[in-house]
Amino acid sequence: MNLRSGRLDKKMTKGAAEYTSSLEADKKIFESDIKCNFAHVLMLKNEKIIDDEVADKILEALTKLKDEGFDALTFDHSVEDIHMAIENYVTDMVGIGIAGFMHTAKSRNDQVATDIRLTLRGKIIEIQLNILEFIEGIVKLAEEHKETVTIGYTHLQHAQPITIAHNFMAYAQALKRDYQRLADTYKRVNQNPLGSAAMTTTSFPINRELTTKLLGFDSYLENSMDGVSARDFIAETVFDLATLCTSLSKMCEEMVLWSTYEFGIIEMADEFSSTSSIMPQKKNPDVAEVARAKSTVVNGELITIMTILKAIPYTYNRDLQEITPHLWNSIKVANDTLKIVSDMVLSVTINKERCLELAGANFGTVTDLADVMVRERNIPFRTAHKIVGRLVNLCIEMDLEIGDVDSGFIDGIANDLGFDKLKLSNDLIKKALDPLENVKMRQVPGGPSPEMVQLACNNMKNFLKEEYAKKGVEN
Ligand code: ARG
């Protein structure tokens, strides 16, 4: 069947046909296009817009194609896209006298928008399930490391003690939001454009409720011009994926740092490391590095999509076709990165001794010494801050460790600064400066104490349970 033979005398040049073809990316919507055609023809039959026998023959051909798969289609460069290839297949099967009715009250414009949404639904769910699996692994790891204290950083300088569990649960919280963002986007993906036809619906009495139901959409789009031109659901999905990739890239960055000799907090599994061709001692975190770089591709795709969208007039313009491959690429990069980063992160070995060493070093616990002064002696926090700041200064000057500090030393500084002696007990001072005690004292929800982290883990496990149940997955 040659679509052009009516209006156009000449064939497109091979170059022009190839340049404008969407066939490569259309492989992704092959099954969805069959589904879309199937629902449309069933509806036409139900509404008595086409004869039962005609409809049944078309449906039979579509079922056969579904069984045979994509390779059953034949292409030459005159076939513009998957929609034409499928119509050609049906035409070859049942003849133009039957197949010619398939496209009644339908356009490739509403068809392609429908197909993309159908395929995307499945992809979003697949990525969401992979996120849940990653979170599950993180919770397990966190529960094993609730008392593994290490140092937390601000400005990449030692700040305050944390636990490995608390750090990993921060990843889990970001991933939870990435999951929820996709769930929210899904609502806007799951709307039916079919019935918009080219741009103004049709004068045939089609039943949009029926195709909406048959295709499992929540509702149909209420404006046909919007129906064929809207691609914000794609931009939104790719934004969600870019944000997910940002979460993953940040984790990779941290794993790369933590695996250095200087940090020494983790060791990467051999399975996710490489060595050097010349330096025999090297163990390089290549997976994390490549993931860090690949995730930026999705940012690029988002900009491309937004830029194509921003200046095209209503309604369908062929530019829209050029958005779709960027969507599929974003999905692939994000999902591949998610899976590999998940496996890599969950296979690291934590060096507990080094963690403890870092937690106690470099004055990371002294915020609590200031807090003890405030609590015990009711002095303003700013006064305590000044005394402790000076104390750290002196320790550095005198080459002392924080463990060398006692009550007398503190009071000497307080006096020098014009404040009263504090007379804190040495036991209290010791406790405040002990990294594990320090962490355990943070009994505020959201904090790093083992109890609060367990609470966060429990809440996360409930979230996982609910979301798996919604998706019909047993866990
Ligand atoms: N390949 C096209 C796309 O992906 C399908 C719709 C073509 N419609 C048209 N009027 N040329 O957007």
Side-chain angles (χ1 to χ4, degrees):
M1 215 259 327
N2 184 353
L3 190 62
R4 301 165 62 86
S5 56
R7 174 70 177 85
L8 304 171
D9 289 334
K10 296 205 177 83
K11 277 188 175 176
M12 243 188 186
T13 67
K14 189 163 181 284
E18 279 171 4
Y19 188 72
T20 53
S21 167
S22 59
L23 269 174
E24 195 42 47
D26 283 352
K27 281 182 193 151
K28 292 273 192 301
I29 55 170
F30 167 69
E31 279 170 24
S32 297
D33 199 63
I34 296 178
K35 263 191 213 151
C36 175
N37 274 308
F38 205 94
H40 183 71
V41 171
L42 260 186
M43 181 276 292
L44 294 177
K45 175 182 171 186
N46 194 65
E47 304 306 311
K48 311 240 169 293
I49 296 171
I50 60 174
D51 291 343
D52 285 3
E53 310 80 69
V54 170
D56 290 344
K57 284 202 173 121
I58 298 172
L59 294 175
E60 215 175 288
L62 288 170
T63 308
K64 191 157 181 289
L65 176 58
K66 182 171 173 258
D67 294 342
E68 288 175 5
F70 184 83
D71 292 338
L73 297 176
T74 44
F75 302 103
D76 63 52
H77 78 272
S78 70
V79 181
E80 248 180 53
D81 52 33
I82 193 84
H83 319 294
M84 293 318 301
I86 289 180
E87 200 172 322
N88 286 349
Y89 175 94
V90 177
T91 308
D92 288 347
M93 288 307 298
V94 297
I96 186 83
I98 302 279
F101 285 95
M102 189 169 113
H103 210 58
T104 313
K106 171 162 73 63
S107 158
R108 285 181 296 166
N109 298 352
D110 59 344
Q111 195 173 336
V112 72
T114 306
D115 294 354
I116 298 168
R117 287 167 186 267
L118 288 175
T119 300
L120 182 54
R121 285 192 318 205
K123 300 280 178 201
I124 289 180
I125 289 172
E126 191 188 331
I127 292 178
Q128 281 189 303
L129 287 173
N130 288 333
I131 296 177
L132 292 184
E133 213 176 292
F134 191 9
I135 296 177
E136 209 179 335
I138 291 177
V139 173
K140 240 189 224 148
L141 197 144
E143 284 184 320
E144 287 163 20
H145 288 283
K146 282 182 296 184
E147 301 216 351
T148 310
V149 279
T150 184
I151 194 69
Y153 298 84
T154 61
H155 311 266
L156 207 53
Q157 302 289 327
H158 284 198
Q160 295 176 325
I162 53 162
T163 63
I164 288 291
H166 197 49
N167 202 98
F168 275 88
M169 284 305 287
Y171 301 167
Q173 295 293 345
L175 288 167
K176 178 182 172 187
R177 287 191 297 278
D178 294 331
Y179 174 95
Q180 289 171 323
R181 223 171 268 120
L182 284 166
D184 202 56
T185 295
Y186 188 93
K187 293 181 209 154
R188 284 173 289 282
V189 171
N190 202 25
Q191 296 186 317
N192 186 13
L194 194 62
S196 302
M199 62 169 285
T200 58
T201 72
T202 171
S203 54
F204 287 101
I206 59 169
N207 182 344
R208 295 195 68 193
E209 279 89 3
L210 182 56
T211 55
T212 299
K213 196 164 158 230
L214 288 171
L215 293 170
F217 284 114
D218 292 331
S219 56
Y220 56 78
L221 289 163
E222 286 189 5
N223 180 301
S224 59
M225 292 175 69
D226 177 54
V228 294
S229 62
R231 295 291 186 275
D232 47 294
F233 70 96
I234 295 185
E236 194 181 338
T237 303
V238 176
F239 171 80
D240 297 350
L241 298 176
T243 310
L244 166 66
C245 282
T246 302
S247 307
L248 299 171
S249 183
K250 276 173 72 104
M251 289 176 212
C252 288
E253 168 65 4
E254 202 148 87
M255 296 294 111
V256 170
L257 279 176
W258 284 9
S259 65
T260 58
Y261 181 80
E262 287 72 12
F263 281 77
I265 296 177
I266 58 160
E267 181 167 352
M268 290 274 190
D270 286 359
E271 291 89 330
F272 297 95
S273 308
S274 306
T275 187
S276 155
S277 59
I278 180 168
M279 298 168 281
Q281 86 284 10
K282 290 301 291 287
K283 182 167 184 183
N284 295 330
D286 288 30
V287 172
E289 291 170 309
V290 171
R292 213 166 44 178
K294 281 203 182 188
S295 46
T296 61
V297 169
V298 184
N299 293 355
E301 298 294 40
L302 178 61
I303 294 295
T304 304
I305 291 165
M306 295 297 285
T307 312
I308 296 175
L309 274 177
K310 71 178 260 299
I312 43 180
Y314 281 86
T315 53
Y316 182 84
N317 299 274
R318 194 72 180 270
D319 314 45
L320 293 178
Q321 166 183 295
E322 294 309 300
I323 287 178
T324 324
H326 299 287
L327 168 65
W328 304 138
N329 192 39
S330 303
I331 298 258
K332 178 167 169 38
V333 172
N335 206 11
D336 288 353
T337 305
L338 172 61
K339 285 190 282 188
I340 201 84
V341 170
S342 167
D343 289 347
M344 180 203 72
V345 167
L346 296 176
S347 67
V348 301
T349 310
I350 316 278
N351 182 347
K352 288 189 181 181
E353 279 136 54
R354 177 63 175 154
C355 286
L356 189 60
E357 185 189 343
L358 285 169
N362 203 14
F363 309 100
T365 50
V366 299
T367 308
D368 266 79
L369 184 57
D371 286 353
V372 165
M373 292 176 184
V374 173
R375 261 199 307 273
E376 295 296 312
R377 297 295 175 254
N378 201 22
I379 60 170
F381 180 74
R382 279 287 162 255
T383 305
H385 186 275
K386 191 168 182 175
I387 297 169
V388 176
R390 178 60 58 86
L391 177 143
V392 170
N393 228 329
L394 271 179
C395 284
I396 294 170
E397 253 178 56
M398 298 163 69
D399 207 14
L400 295 174
E401 299 283 329
I402 194 65
D404 303 329
V405 166
D406 63 7
S407 183
F409 188 68
I410 294 172
D411 285 348
I413 296 167
N415 260 349
D416 279 354
L417 292 172
F419 301 118
D420 291 343
K421 287 192 161 84
L422 295 161
K423 297 198 175 105
L424 295 172
S425 86
N426 281 328
D427 270 3
L428 255 168
I429 296 171
K430 226 186 165 74
K431 202 172 164 203
L433 297 175
D434 177 273
L436 184 57
E437 291 301 328
N438 192 296
V439 154
K440 281 185 174 167
M441 275 188 279
R442 281 161 165 68
Q443 291 289 345
V444 177
S449 69
E451 291 83 0
M452 289 304 119
V453 171
Q454 188 57 58
L455 182 69
C457 288
N458 293 345
N459 290 341
M460 195 59 89
K461 283 195 256 187
N462 285 337
F463 165 77
L464 291 172
K465 207 170 176 178
E466 278 167 24
E467 295 308 314
Y468 275 131
K470 278 189 211 162
K471 302 233 174 307
V473 176
E474 284 196 22
N475 80 314

